[in-house]
Amino acid sequence: MIYLLEYPYLWNGTTHEVHFYLSSLPPNAQINGRIIRQHWSIENQEH
């Protein structure tokens, strides 16, 4: 399980978001971070 805590800055202040991901990959922060960013890059292009 991957636990990701983000602090995005919004026009009306800073907030926080918590994301959980399930993965069968080894626990490697650099690789898992890259995969998560790629996923959201594709997801954001669809909207």
Side-chain angles (χ1 to χ4, degrees), residues 3-10 13-21 40:
Y3 173 80
L4 177 65
L5 181 60
E6 289 185 284
Y7 292 95
Y9 181 77
L10 304 174
T14 302
T15 185
H16 72 277
E17 299 176 1
V18 177
H19 302 271
F20 292 94
Y21 299 92
W40 283 108

Side-chain angles (χ1 to χ4, degrees):
M1 182 183 302
I2 301 168
Y3 173 80
L4 177 65
L5 181 60
E6 289 185 284
Y7 292 95
Y9 181 77
L10 304 174
W11 65 272
N12 60 349
T14 302
T15 185
H16 72 277
E17 299 176 1
V18 177
H19 302 271
F20 292 94
Y21 299 92
L22 294 177
S23 176
S24 60
L25 296 173
N28 183 311
Q30 289 180 326
I31 292 172
N32 292 331
R34 186 174 67 237
I35 290 168
I36 290 169
R37 285 188 296 276
Q38 287 174 348
H39 165 78
W40 283 108
S41 173
I42 293 168
E43 184 75 22
N44 290 334
Q45 289 173 10
E46 296 297 319
H47 298 285

